[in-house]
Amino acid sequence: MGKDTQVSIAIIGTGGVGRCFLQQCSQILPQYSNVSLVFLSRSNRSLRVPTWNHALRLDTWEKDLAASTDPALSPQELLAWFATTENELILVDNTSSPDIAAFYPKFLGHKITVVTPNKKAFSSDLNLWNEIVENAYPNNPDGGFLYHEASVGAGLPIISTLKDLLETGDEVQKIEGVFSGTMSFLFNNFAPVEGKGGKWSDEVTKAKNAGYTEPDPRDDLNGVDVARKLVILARMVGLQIESTSAFPVQSLIPTQLESCSSGNEFIEKLPAFDDEMEKVKTKAEEKGKVVRFVGSIDVASKAVEVGLKEFDKGHAIAGLKGSDNIISFYTKRYGSNPLIVQGAGAGGEVTAMGVSADLIKAIKDVHGCKRLR
């Protein structure tokens, strides 16, 4: 990296993924003599350097942030502060905030590189997606770089793989897979290839107790998280998908339990509906198959869908273990043998790894190696 290029990093979000990311940063940033952490914030407070020549300490960030009396900055205030330096800037947004996401176009338009796992930025309003893409490099030659690998596959290289396929001229025909570590864990235990499996309500309870689900399992079982990931990939291959409501998304929440006041109430009442899921499993077993919760994009027909599907027991999707995700890219080059990406697709450490890998790419990019082409 050139001696004259100073890179300043601002991080929003220090809980969960953010905490794991900061731990990884303590190993990454010392490798770069002219890269420094200048800003940290969580929901109610922030910490920033007194001058742009200073750097925040990664070994004491938690104590220093807790002691800070400075409030969190709004996106507008943060952008105004960024305008006071000529350093190259990288904003890492580890939140799921739609308000920060809505400001990405302005950050990018001011040559600020954005690194984020925030899938809401790329799966909600189509106009926002278009504004983000238009303001990012290379569509905007003076725009910031954009990295959001972890918005789809956590630490799995899903977005980068799709980009490579598209940029090298391959024709993506179909994308299909298990996009949720929660759903993978549930169905691998509820309907294993070797048969049997537990009761549906028992498996949901086990997943919740093991930390695989959200505090309210309905936030996983409604299929929306998977749908968001498909919206992102569909838009990347050129489909103008308005939102997650623009295609079929199967919810596994019994209609009678949608109004439960809490996740605990939902868990208590779920056993009464075990027979419904048992019928789904038995129907597949009678055909020598297993049922899985998948998402798929058929590019030619512009069809996107999320829900239950039966697979032969020898299929790669059927043979998943634990909470692994698997995504298959069917393309013109790869023919009938898809390019498959498989591995852990959830968890703080692996999601943070996806963000960290993006940060390393961003540091190299803001140095100017791509802008000089």
Side-chain angles (χ1 to χ4, degrees):
M1 182 174 285
K3 294 181 179 179
D4 297 329
T5 303
Q6 296 297 317
V7 181
S8 297
I9 298 174
I11 300 173
I12 304 175
T14 61
V17 172
R19 181 183 299 275
C20 295
F21 171 70
L22 281 160
Q23 291 173 345
Q24 294 174 19
C25 279
S26 66
Q27 298 176 313
I28 296 169
L29 296 191
Q31 300 177 46
Y32 302 94
S33 60
N34 45 354
V35 176
S36 58
L37 176 63
V38 298
F39 178 85
L40 272 175
S41 78
R42 61 189 191 199
S43 59
N44 60 352
R45 67 186 65 196
S46 64
L47 179 68
R48 56 175 152 169
V49 290
T51 72
W52 289 97
N53 293 325
H54 288 76
L56 300 180
R57 293 183 57 176
L58 281 163
D59 58 341
T60 61
W61 72 264
E62 193 165 4
K63 179 183 70 175
D64 296 339
L65 181 59
S68 174
T69 58
D70 293 338
L73 299 184
S74 69
Q76 294 90 337
E77 292 169 330
L78 189 57
L79 183 61
W81 182 57
F82 284 160
T84 64
T85 183
E86 293 185 358
N87 292 357
E88 292 281 1
L89 293 162
I90 300 174
L91 173 65
V92 182
D93 174 21
N94 285 317
T95 75
S96 60
S97 167
D99 295 330
I100 298 173
F103 221 76
Y104 287 175
K106 290 188 178 179
F107 285 127
L108 292 164
H110 283 79
K111 200 182 174 182
I112 298 164
T113 287
V114 174
V115 174
T116 183
N118 186 349
K119 63 178 68 71
K120 290 181 181 177
F122 312 101
S123 62
S124 54
D125 183 64
L126 180 59
N127 290 329
L128 176 59
W129 163 270
N130 290 329
E131 287 181 22
I132 290 172
V133 173
E134 289 167 3
N135 281 277
Y137 181 90
N139 289 327
N140 176 6
D142 296 319
F145 296 94
L146 175 65
Y147 289 99
H148 60 106
E149 184 72 76
S151 67
V152 172
L156 294 179
I158 305 303
I159 286 179
S160 55
T161 297
L162 180 55
K163 281 185 176 180
D164 287 346
L165 290 170
L166 295 172
E167 291 178 2
T168 58
D170 201 354
E171 180 185 322
V172 178
Q173 300 163 337
K174 182 180 179 181
I175 303 172
E176 182 176 60
V178 175
F179 290 85
S180 164
T182 301
M183 291 299 199
S184 181
F185 180 85
L186 284 173
F187 281 92
N188 293 340
N189 288 281
F190 171 65
V193 170
E194 58 271 19
K196 296 185 179 180
K199 292 182 179 180
W200 177 247
S201 60
D202 288 344
E203 298 304 336
V204 173
T205 301
K206 289 178 187 176
K208 182 177 185 297
N209 292 339
Y212 284 112
T213 74
E214 296 293 332
D216 188 336
R218 289 175 295 181
D219 292 335
D220 296 292
L221 298 177
N222 62 14
V224 173
D225 183 65
V226 174
R228 286 189 180 279
K229 297 173 182 179
L230 287 188
V231 168
I232 296 171
L233 297 180
R235 288 174 175 175
M236 286 181 65
V237 298
L239 302 185
Q240 295 293 294
I241 305 296
E242 288 289 340
S243 68
T244 56
S245 60
F247 54 89
V249 179
Q250 183 177 4
S251 172
L252 300 186
I253 304 171
T255 303
Q256 299 91 323
L257 301 187
E258 289 178 350
S259 60
C260 286
S261 60
S262 68
N264 289 334
E265 182 186 353
F266 171 76
I267 288 291
E268 290 173 4
K269 294 182 177 180
L270 188 58
F273 300 88
D274 279 344
D275 286 348
E276 294 181 16
M277 288 301 294
E278 196 66 27
K279 290 177 182 176
V280 172
K281 177 167 67 174
T282 301
K283 181 181 177 182
E285 287 177 343
E286 290 174 348
K287 303 174 187 177
K289 299 184 177 185
V290 293
V291 64
R292 296 291 183 261
F293 194 87
V294 301
S296 65
I297 302 167
D298 188 298
V299 179
S301 64
K302 300 181 180 180
V304 182
E305 58 183 333
V306 174
L308 296 174
K309 185 175 178 180
E310 297 175 351
F311 291 91
D312 292 329
K313 293 182 178 180
H315 196 285
I317 287 178
L320 283 179
K321 301 295 183 182
S323 60
D324 275 7
N325 286 3
I326 182 170
I327 290 83
S328 301
F329 295 94
Y330 294 84
T331 76
K332 185 176 181 179
R333 286 189 190 137
Y334 281 84
S336 59
N337 294 316
L339 170 59
I340 294 176
V341 179
Q342 179 179 341
E349 290 289 345
V350 294
T351 302
M353 187 277 287
V355 181
S356 296
D358 275 353
L359 175 62
I360 293 171
K361 294 173 186 174
I363 290 171
K364 295 176 180 178
D365 280 348
V366 298
H367 178 237
C369 57
K370 287 192 174 181
R371 293 184 196 280
L372 296 176
R373 288 193 306 189

